[in-house]
């Protein structure tokens, strides 16, 4: 198969990316509730709340690892955030833009590898980059009046670490678990079980 054919989306790719997006759109809505409810426990140091951030980027990394096509991370994250909005996200339509920004951050790392590397290190870096894009967006849009030194920079650092671990390495663990069941046998991730 030549390089152009391997980048073409198959029907099964679209279906799997969509299923991941819808499932995580529901998870996002539940996570939104948990996030809003965690203001109190993190009141002692508000930037630490971003340790919860990684969950919001799992679908982008997971879809990129499974589908392995240009745009998979961006599409899946944007659709997941759209589902979250349709379910009543407290962040309104801005959450769709936020999802696209998150997906772009993840997508950037896989694009930098020319969509050829799908190892744990690549996934971890993709999660971290997506977290950087997302928390920078937050710092500029949601928290414009806060201090860079006492709030925004720590918020970004904790968020990036969370996304590296939870979204990046968490997506690797999910991909391996799914591959071991055989459900990913139609995908390179299913055939490369030891590599992902």
């Amino acid at each position: 198969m030549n390089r152009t054919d391997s980048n073409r989306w198959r029907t099964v790719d679209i279906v799997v990316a969509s299923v991941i997006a819808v499932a995580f759109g529901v998870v996002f809505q539940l996570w939104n509730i948990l996030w809003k409810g965690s203001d109190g426990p993190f009141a002692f140091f508000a930037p630490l709340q971003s340790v919860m951030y990684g969950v919001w980027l799992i679908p982008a990394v997971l879809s990129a690892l499974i589908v392995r096509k240009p745009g998979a991370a961006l599409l899946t994250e944007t659709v997941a955030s759209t589902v979250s909005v349709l379910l009543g996200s407290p962040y309104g339509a801005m959450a769709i833009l936020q999802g696209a920004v998150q997906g772009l951050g993840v997508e950037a790392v896989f694009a930098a590898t020319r969509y050829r590397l799908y190892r744990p290190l690549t996934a971890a870096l993709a999660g971290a980059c997506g977290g950087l894009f997302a928390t920078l967006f937050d710092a500029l849009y949601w928290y414009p009046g806060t201090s860079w030194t006492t709030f925004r920079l720590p918020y970004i650092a904790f968020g990036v670490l969370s996304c590296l671990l939870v979204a990046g390495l968490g997506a690797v663990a999910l991909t391996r678990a799914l591959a071991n069941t055989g459900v990913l046998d139609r995908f390179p991730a299913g055939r490369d079980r030891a590599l992902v």
Side-chain angles (χ1 to χ4, degrees):
M1 185 179 316
N2 68 37
R3 193 84 200 131
T4 304
D5 290 342
S6 69
N7 285 336
R8 283 202 177 128
W9 283 68
R10 304 169 298 165
T11 302
V12 70
D13 298 327
I14 296 166
V15 169
V16 168
S18 299
V19 168
I20 292 169
V22 171
F24 273 93
V26 173
V27 170
F28 285 2
Q29 188 55 14
L30 297 171
W31 206 247
N32 291 338
I33 294 166
L34 283 173
W35 178 275
K36 287 287 193 184
S38 71
D39 287 345
F42 289 106
F44 70 97
F45 188 58
L48 190 58
Q49 186 178 28
S50 67
V51 298
M52 298 174 59
Y53 218 108
V55 170
W56 278 310
L57 279 89
I58 292 172
V61 181
L62 181 64
S63 183
L65 289 173
I66 293 171
V67 175
R68 297 186 181 185
K69 305 283 189 225
L74 176 61
L75 172 72
T76 305
E77 193 72 19
T78 304
V79 172
S81 62
T82 302
V83 170
S84 173
V85 167
L86 293 173
L87 293 174
S89 169
Y91 306 105
M94 187 53 72
I96 298 170
L97 177 59
Q98 178 96 30
V101 168
Q102 293 166 353
L104 277 172
V106 171
E107 195 76 40
V109 172
F110 290 104
T113 72
R114 303 178 84 194
Y115 299 98
R116 292 184 180 151
L117 294 177
Y118 295 92
R119 310 286 178 151
L121 178 60
T122 310
L125 291 173
C129 187
L132 178 63
F133 277 43
T135 54
L136 275 172
F137 180 92
D138 284 0
L140 298 172
Y141 184 80
W142 298 108
Y143 304 113
T146 59
S147 164
W148 278 98
T149 54
T150 61
F151 184 85
R152 292 191 223 187
L153 289 177
Y155 178 89
I156 291 167
F158 290 125
V160 168
L161 180 62
S162 172
C163 292
L164 182 148
L165 296 172
V166 176
L169 298 180
V172 169
L174 280 171
T175 303
R176 285 181 177 163
L178 289 168
N180 286 334
T181 69
V183 299
L184 300 181
D185 285 349
R186 295 192 62 188
F187 296 90
R191 296 185 294 273
D192 297 342
R193 291 177 192 165
L195 299 177
V196 175

